[in-house]
Amino acid sequence: MSNLSYVSPTDDSPWGTYLSQVDRVVPYLGNLARWVETLKRPKRALIVDVPIELDNGTVAHFEGFRVQHNLSRGPGKGGVRYHPDVTLEEVMALSAWMTVKCAAVNLPFGGAKGGIRVDPKLLSHKELERMTRRYTSEIGLIIGPQKDIPAPDVNTNGQIMAWMMDTYSMNTGSTSTGVVTGKPLHLGGSAGRVKATGRGVFVTGREAARRIGMDLNGARVAVQGFGNVGGSAAELFAQAGAKIVAAQDHTGTIYNANGFDLADLIPHVTNTGGVAGFKGADVMKSEEFWDVDCDILIPAALEGQINEDRARRIKARLVLEGANGPTTSKADDMLFERNILVVPDVICNAGGVTVSYFEWVQDFSSFFWSEDEINVRLDKIMVDALKKIWDTADRHRITLRTATFAVACERILIAREERGLYP
Ligand code: GLU
């Protein structure tokens, strides 16, 4: 399946899933299809050794990655993930989905992603800082406000972005706020950034529900992953009158047919690190999560969660992909056959990178917008982008995923063609 010697993707692995998504869009690209090989290989992939001194005086080495998948439309953009399962192949897929995502909402960015293969929960605060700084230094050759701009992803946050910004600034003798986004507010961060991905999931979900005639008031929602994305989206759905009936994360699975009280659940998750032990709910076996009676399912955790077997059992009418790559291609087909509408990751979770773009623009102009301005602009970008994708899906009778790829890949490959081959 792969045309590259350095990865061995399978049908269900992240890069394998991405490649099959690209294959599906080719018939809709017209003459631009002759450039499609560009999308099937990353422009640049950097593997770095990240050695740090642990608090006990010994030295530990971690594998770090930064992949720039495509830079045709602008500097690379995408998060940095700290997770024990991170691999080059995963980071490649995540960087490619960033290329598609940025183009889908028409941001002037290419796609990139980074990661360290580490369980950050096993590191002290100081060890985490040393690892972040050494990693930033190692990838410092290829990042920069005009080159590639990292941001938070799974297990990274504003504090880690602050260390990255400081390390890059020290190494370049500057104060470069624009080198990363998702920074704390007093370091050039943007209002609304923390909750932006969840807000985008809500906005695309609201629009999709309206188009299929589903009332959000009283709708039952199940959320996998109750972190920054899933938690913020759940809050907004609850504000719109929906009931959050099930939640799952790495600590457990909980259920309440009447809906959780989020005013209690959100602080519980913040204080204890997960949904387990929440008083206002029943405990469920983890696999039962996929059988829950619900109207909307939000996978907001990791890749590959919805496989064929789970796709066969899902009861929801609407799936909102808050995570990147949560659905395998075979599961995607199964959901389509079962008439379950999927709003794909590459548009559904684009709210985060959209407000990252606002942050980057604000840093350049050193002029900051209010949270209301941010949210209004975010809403408009998401609604307009989804409308264009929906029209494309209707015109060709294709899924929203293939339609998003069609809109995005056209933009990417036009830029590719206009820039031409060098030399
Ligand atoms: N990590 C987020 C994503 O997957 C945000 C990336 C960014 O803001 O650059 O979209």
Side-chain angles (χ1 to χ4, degrees):
M1 159 181 256
S2 174
N3 43 358
L4 301 171
S5 64
Y6 50 89
V7 286
S8 314
T10 62
D11 277 356
D12 289 351
S13 70
W15 184 250
T17 299
Y18 166 75
L19 288 180
S20 80
Q21 292 167 350
V22 173
D23 285 339
R24 286 169 185 211
V25 78
V26 170
Y28 307 99
L29 291 178
N31 281 338
L32 289 169
R34 66 181 180 279
W35 290 101
V36 83
E37 186 62 24
T38 302
L39 300 171
K40 294 189 171 187
R41 47 186 70 223
K43 174 183 174 62
R44 188 178 284 139
L46 182 62
I47 304 175
V48 295
D49 175 34
V50 186
I52 61 157
E53 188 174 322
L54 299 176
D55 294 345
N56 67 12
T58 61
V59 175
H61 291 257
F62 301 100
E63 284 175 37
F65 307 95
R66 185 74 189 171
V67 177
Q68 296 172 347
H69 172 259
N70 185 279
L71 306 180
S72 293
R73 289 167 42 83
K77 189 84 195 80
V80 174
R81 166 175 301 204
Y82 291 173
H83 196 279
D85 298 335
V86 163
T87 61
L88 173 63
E89 195 217 302
E90 182 198 34
V91 179
M92 279 166 57
L94 292 166
S95 71
W97 283 320
M98 287 309 302
T99 302
V100 176
K101 193 187 302 186
C102 290
V105 278
N106 215 358
L107 306 178
F109 289 134
K113 199 85 173 195
I116 305 181
R117 190 172 172 85
V118 62
D119 184 351
K121 291 180 195 72
L122 303 179
L123 297 183
S124 71
H125 191 74
K126 278 288 162 200
E127 290 166 341
L128 193 63
E129 175 172 356
R130 285 198 287 276
M131 185 186 72
T132 300
R133 288 185 180 278
R134 181 62 189 250
Y135 168 71
T136 308
S137 232
E138 293 295 339
I139 64 166
L141 292 169
I142 62 167
I143 63 169
Q146 305 282 11
K147 293 161 79 173
D148 179 1
I149 305 113
D153 196 76
V154 174
N155 291 333
T156 56
N157 56 24
Q159 173 62 77
I160 288 168
M161 295 307 115
W163 290 328
M164 291 188 76
M165 173 270 184
D166 182 68
T167 305
Y168 179 85
S169 296
M170 293 289 110
N171 286 345
T172 53
S174 62
T175 300
S176 294
T177 52
V179 66
V180 289
T181 58
K183 299 178 297 294
L185 275 185
H186 23 268
L187 275 184
S190 175
R193 174 62 186 86
V194 174
K195 297 197 166 179
T197 311
R199 180 170 288 275
V201 171
F202 170 72
V203 171
T204 54
R206 182 193 70 203
E207 294 302 300
R210 183 177 57 75
R211 284 169 183 264
I212 63 171
M214 180 194 287
D215 192 354
L216 286 188
N217 196 17
R220 296 156 308 164
V221 181
V223 187
Q224 189 204 30
F226 220 78
N228 178 34
V229 179
S232 309
E235 261 182 318
L236 290 167
F237 276 104
Q239 277 166 28
K243 291 190 289 193
I244 315 302
V245 294
Q248 173 172 84
D249 65 10
H250 63 283
T251 66
T253 307
I254 57 171
Y255 179 76
N256 182 339
N258 299 320
F260 309 127
D261 186 346
L262 291 191
D264 290 338
L265 179 56
I266 301 264
H268 172 84
V269 171
T270 313
N271 296 333
T272 68
V275 299
F278 179 58
K279 297 264 184 301
D282 297 328
V283 176
M284 256 187 164
K285 289 209 188 85
S286 101
E287 198 52 38
E288 284 169 5
F289 174 80
W290 304 99
D291 302 311
V292 162
D293 228 334
C294 63
D295 303 296
I296 300 176
L297 174 69
I298 308 180
L302 295 172
E303 304 91 56
Q305 291 298 301
I306 305 185
N307 56 23
E308 250 184 309
D309 170 52
R310 290 172 178 174
R312 204 173 285 123
R313 287 152 46 203
I314 286 168
K315 304 260 190 325
R317 279 172 65 203
L318 185 57
V319 174
L320 305 176
E321 293 188 338
N324 292 307
T327 311
T328 67
S329 286
K330 283 192 188 121
D332 221 13
D333 293 341
M334 172 67 65
L335 294 172
F336 181 72
E337 271 167 38
R338 296 190 55 217
N339 210 13
I340 296 172
L341 183 67
V342 178
V343 182
D345 50 3
V346 277
I347 178 65
C348 189
N349 71 34
V353 73
T354 300
V355 176
S356 276
Y357 165 61
F358 297 161
E359 180 173 334
W360 182 72
V361 168
Q362 292 171 88
D363 286 341
F364 272 118
S365 53
S366 297
F367 179 81
F368 291 87
W369 313 342
S370 71
E371 185 159 356
D372 281 350
E373 277 173 282
I374 299 277
N375 289 345
V376 168
R377 285 177 197 252
L378 171 61
D379 207 289
K380 181 167 167 37
I381 286 183
M382 299 296 289
V383 169
D384 291 351
L386 189 65
K387 181 177 184 316
K388 187 172 167 68
I389 289 162
W390 210 287
D391 291 346
T392 305
D394 282 349
R395 193 164 62 247
H396 296 299
R397 295 173 188 277
I398 52 179
T399 62
L400 288 179
R401 188 182 317 278
T402 301
T404 310
F405 269 70
V407 169
C409 295
E410 182 178 56
R411 288 179 178 146
I412 299 157
L413 297 181
I414 285 175
R416 178 78 196 80
E417 184 166 79
E418 284 175 350
R419 286 178 69 155
L421 272 185
Y422 170 84

